[in-house]
Amino acid sequence: MARGLELLLSAVLLAGLYAMMAYGLGLIYGVLRIVNLNHGGMIMVGAYLGWYLHERAGIDPYLSLPIAAVVGFATGVVIYGGLVRYLPRGPAGGVQSLLLLFGVWLVLRNVAYLQFTGNDQAIRTDYSTKAVVVLGSALSLNRLIVFALAALLLVALDLLLTRTYLGKAIRAVAQNADSCRVAGIDVERIYTFTFGFGTALATMAGLLLGTLFPFNPTFGAGELLKSFVIVVLGGLGSVLGTAVAALILAIVEVFAILLLPAYLTGAVGFVLLVLVLIFRPGGLFGQRVLG
Amino acid sequence: MMRGPKPSLCSEVTMQRRSGSFPLALAASLLAAAACKQSTPEKSSATAAASLPDKIVIGATLPLTGAEARIGGFYKEGYELAFEEAMKAGGILVGGKRIPVTLQLLDDTTTQATAVSLADRLINVDKVNFLLGTYSTALVQAQSSAAEQNRIPYVNGGGAATAIYQQGYKWIFGLLAPVELLADAIMRWLDIQQKSGKLPKPSIVAVVWENTSHGKDFRNGVSEFAKSHPGDYQVVLDEAFELNAKDFSALINAVKAAKADVLLVDAHLPDYITMQRQYVTEGMCNKVLSYGARGSEKQAADALGQKNVNYVLSAVWWNSQLGSKGLNKHFVDIFRAKYNRQPEWYQALGYETARSLFTAIEQADSVDREAVRAKLASMEIESILPGGKLRFPAEKGQQAHNPFVVQQNMPDGSAPIVYPPDVANAAGVAPRPDCKG
Amino acid sequence: MSTWRQFIPEWLSPAVLAVFVAAAAVLHALPYVVALSPYDHNQLTLAFLFIATALAWNWIGGFAGQISFGHAAMFGVGGFAAARALQMQVAPFWVPWLLGGLVAGAYGLAWGHPTLRLRGPYFSIATIGVGEATRLVLTYWQGFTGGASGLALPINAQLKYSLYWYALYFLALVAIASYAIRNSRLGLGLLSIKSDVEAAADVGVPVVFCQDLVLFLSGAVVGVAGGIYASYFSFIEPSDMFGFDRSISFVLMAVIGGVGTVFGPGLGAVVFVLLRQFLIASYPQLYLGLYGLLLVLVVLFEPLGISGLIFRVARRLRPHRGAT
């Protein structure tokens, strides 16, 4: 029983991070109908950014979050304005955008490789190995902080989307871009902003992930796939949906150890993805658009 | 000793059809190729023993980029040191003359296909005389087929899996002892502790291993030892994990539930660091902890903090503390002179691998591949490896079986050798004194 | 002139046939006429394999428009099945290859049948999941793949030399199949599915059957290639066979050469192999980035890759021809 509680707490902490990681992907798909295969690349960039700032400038990784946000946003805007904008929208553009963003990811991987070598890096701070005892089990301090930050960000996100004019515009464009154009909304600007925003989220998630796990230039692939699982499971757009889906994934992964040998628990996420895609591509909440 | 393609009816048939009509050519050549076991690939002729070359070129690939780049770089240091030493003397002594020797080193990016392609290239395009091995079992295994097919001596210090040496290959020689012996060495030290009452009998053992041949061999070594000492060791957990996994919490939870006295892990450095960090954060503490060949790396102490790597046991193929006299001292001295730090087993193996090849060439007194191969097969020389001698026993598939040294991290930052007793400079500590409750 | 034209089916262009026969003849005779070093001989063998896999990938990725990022799953399954059969000395040696192909094709069908219903990016994402799950599970299944240590096959130097011709004729068959599929009713059906799956179903195209068949064939071919690959290296291991990089390579070859064109992916494969060759000794760390750049350039400027460039040039040169 104590073990069950421990596993549950583990899962909850993990879920917070997963939710944040997935949201950026979901946002971009919801609004632009583009699957951002560079999501993994930006996660990797975020991790390296945090590491670099910590190594060279001694900045605590959690304090570098705003920097990651800015860098991510700028990168996203550049990628959109310079590349994605030229793709045809709609089903014809689907495949093209996949390949384009995948290409961008490959380039980023190579750049990271040349700059930092392929060796694993880790962000080690003084409190990296500290633990806090909650309800009888030792929880890593890092994971708690990450969870808190992720939760805060998601709440802020939800407020942005529901309470601000910008948020409304984004949701409107997601529902029907054409009528928005007619109504006078600068759809291109919304697209640019959304893409930048989604990329910023990925970068920040990457930084947080970097404080927990070691990483190298190939980092991000597994996280990308997990994000897909969550986006598909949770439907698109609602923060709540994403959070619940993230929790489900985290719980399945963590409790799988009771049934499967440790080695195979890594495959659980992928199998879940395929099953969900086959049986409920509309997600558990049946939503396909923001709203 | 020139060799050409064996004359046969097959080659005549295929040559004739060259100018014929397409479909007939198709049918005939398919038949010829299929039926024709005689047709032989162009063989690079072994240099005639009579004439001496004006230089010896030794080819090698190493993972200088990719997953094993760090260790590849270390092996490169060892190789380069050996070549530098040989060149200081003017080269390798063959036929009374000193012939300069150079290393043609390429980067195989830790990819099997690249390693094989580059080996092919080194042999058939660059026409190197001999090959030194790459690092990591999968790469060595893949490359060894290429070397064997081309009948060129391949001496490696990077592939430990016994599987490589059980294929009946004649041209492959390995300096790295099998990982089963690594596990065995650690178990033997545990046995000594158990016999002197420091560990319970039976001891509960949990073994966790990376899902590679390295990990498999480690786990086999542990279970074999436990089987041959019935009643002394009880293996309650036996789990594999994926190489370079990010999150070990599921695994750590399983280990916690097992309540083992001894936790044995086989992992590469990044996984060691990740896992140990999570292990410590969870507040875990087993009586004895080992990460196989990992433990005393400075990188780990830096990444985790000395406190968190105390009393970790590791077993390695070589240790600089063996370097108090003779060949070992010489190696440690020249390494420190060139690189300004203490060598680890990677560089030692790289150096010794190259040195053993040079020795074989000198013993054969020629660059003829078959002659050098024969000398390698019958080699018995003084060596820096534990045990002091290097041989490639035929009954072990030409894989050296030198013993391992087991070391234990101490709070003062040192990592004395605790096993085997004849080279040990400390007895080692078990159970570890810093576990709370 | 018209008399012998009767013997050739109408969908077969004489020009294509002539080029095909000429190319096959030249490549077949090459090792006899030109003194190839064993290295070049071997590299050509591998090139033939890669071209064949790119063409086969294109059947599902280009003709049917369903981009698969998980084809390495079939490559690996076929390779290991063939390797196991070879270890058990099932003779003659090409039977294991066929076996590998069948097993791979069946595997493709197994995961493909339910997932092909998904359109566009959803299918592609599913394939990433399939690819990775296959890798993890099969690396664990030691009985089949030998686990992380992989499988070693007995060395056969004569076989490796003659693999050149086996790979060449394998490629010839795949090329013929590519052309045939494209110009057949199946190809037409796939094209209509690619443009608008609902309309295609309305018109009576058996959507499920077509897609399943094509995925089976594509998987089977890639599986046979895996088997020949195993024979070539005499040693295969899961991370190489099932790796994501392997899956990516199929996509890259086809995209660079021209997704959806008949022979484009073959050209892409040639470029891919040449680039690897060129970079491998001097700048091995750059090839990923270069591929990425190529991908971006192709998508933005010439969606049909090299084939697109060729078409453009051809149009320039022959302004009186209608649209391709």
Side-chain angles (χ1 to χ4, degrees), chain C residues 64 119 188-197 200 205-207 210-211:
Chain C
R119 305 311 312 166
L188 212 53
L190 291 172
L191 208 58
S192 63
I193 292 172
K194 182 175 171 180
S195 324
D196 189 335
V197 61
V205 173
V207 172
C210 283
Q211 289 193 130

Side-chain angles (χ1 to χ4, degrees), chain A residues 3 6-7 10 14 113 119-120 122-124 128-131 138 140 143 211-214 219 223 257 261-263, chain B residues 65-66 69-70 211 239-242 246-247 250-251 253-254 256-257 270 274 277-278 280-282 302-305 308:
Chain A
R3 183 141 187 242
E6 251 186 87
L7 290 177
S10 260
L14 203 55
Y113 205 69
N119 291 340
D120 274 22
I123 304 177
R124 183 181 99 96
S128 284
T129 49
K130 285 220 172 59
S140 147
R143 290 207 184 201
T211 61
L212 295 180
F213 307 121
F219 191 59
E223 287 66 25
I257 184 70
Y263 179 73
Chain B
T65 56
R70 199 183 65 96
N211 196 357
E239 290 275 351
F241 62 87
E242 205 202 341
K246 300 285 179 259
D247 189 359
L251 198 57
N253 276 318
K256 212 189 238 187
T274 311
R277 183 179 294 175
Q278 290 174 356
V280 166
T281 311
E282 294 265 346
D302 288 340
L304 296 163
N308 295 316

Side-chain angles (χ1 to χ4, degrees), chain B residues 53-354:
Chain B
D54 52 357
K55 65 174 162 59
I56 301 177
V57 181
I58 300 183
T61 75
L62 278 176
L64 300 174
T65 56
E68 298 289 4
R70 199 183 65 96
I71 299 184
F74 292 154
Y75 270 79
K76 180 172 181 235
E77 289 178 345
Y79 281 172
E80 287 181 339
L81 187 65
F83 276 83
E84 199 182 89
E85 190 184 37
M87 285 308 282
K88 270 213 188 82
I92 302 184
L93 190 63
V94 178
K97 239 181 66 169
R98 286 265 168 201
I99 307 185
V101 62
T102 48
L103 174 65
Q104 170 87 324
L105 183 65
L106 297 176
D107 176 9
D108 58 36
T109 70
T110 326
T111 321
Q112 168 203 326
T114 310
V116 173
S117 289
L118 289 178
D120 204 351
R121 187 174 174 136
L122 286 168
I123 299 169
N124 293 306
V125 175
D126 300 321
K127 304 250 191 280
V128 298
N129 300 89
F130 308 100
L131 285 178
L132 285 173
T134 178
Y135 171 73
S136 111
T137 288
L139 296 185
V140 169
Q141 176 128 32
Q143 257 187 0
S144 59
S145 329
E148 182 78 6
Q149 275 173 348
N150 284 279
R151 305 168 65 84
I152 176 170
Y154 181 85
V155 188
N156 86 87
T162 41
I164 302 173
Y165 308 99
Q166 284 168 347
Q167 297 170 99
Y169 288 177
K170 294 267 161 285
W171 295 84
I172 314 301
F173 299 88
L175 275 86
L176 224 47
V179 178
E180 287 96 335
L181 285 187
L182 193 163
D184 189 76
I186 296 180
M187 294 303 288
R188 283 186 194 280
W189 180 82
L190 283 177
D191 215 35
I192 296 177
Q193 308 309 309
Q194 199 183 54
K195 288 201 168 46
S196 50
K198 303 222 183 88
L199 284 176
K201 184 165 164 150
S203 291
I204 315 282
V205 175
V207 55
V208 165
W209 42 284
E210 65 176 27
N211 196 357
T212 60
S213 50
H214 192 284
K216 263 200 296 194
D217 288 350
F218 179 81
R219 170 224 176 239
N220 288 343
V222 173
S223 58
E224 283 304 310
F225 192 90
K227 269 198 211 118
S228 61
H229 292 72
D232 292 349
Y233 300 98
Q234 216 185 324
V235 179
V236 300
L237 183 72
D238 181 349
E239 290 275 351
F241 62 87
E242 205 202 341
L243 186 61
N244 294 327
K246 300 285 179 259
D247 189 359
F248 292 107
S249 34
L251 198 57
I252 302 264
N253 276 318
V255 172
K256 212 189 238 187
K259 297 201 200 315
D261 299 310
V262 178
L263 174 58
L264 301 173
V265 184
D266 184 70
H268 273 61
L269 187 60
D271 289 335
Y272 160 39
I273 295 178
T274 311
M275 204 188 285
Q276 182 65 358
R277 183 179 294 175
Q278 290 174 356
Y279 177 90
V280 166
T281 311
E282 294 265 346
M284 287 180 61
C285 197
N286 298 84
K287 296 193 179 68
V288 176
L289 174 61
S290 170
Y291 277 92
R294 317 290 151 216
S296 59
E297 287 85 352
K298 185 168 178 308
Q299 203 172 331
D302 288 340
L304 296 163
Q306 178 63 40
K307 186 165 70 81
N308 295 316
V309 297
N310 281 344
Y311 305 112
V312 170
L313 275 175
S314 53
V316 288
W317 284 269
W318 182 90
N319 189 291
S320 56
Q321 289 166 86
L322 294 167
S324 51
K325 54 186 185 301
L327 274 181
N328 259 304
K329 182 167 187 320
H330 168 74
F331 166 66
V332 175
D333 286 344
I334 58 174
F335 186 88
R336 288 180 60 161
K338 184 171 163 80
Y339 295 108
N340 247 320
R341 62 191 139 86
Q342 205 71 345
E344 294 179 88
W345 67 264
Y346 321 101
Q347 295 98 340
L349 261 300
Y351 170 82
E352 192 68 349
T353 305

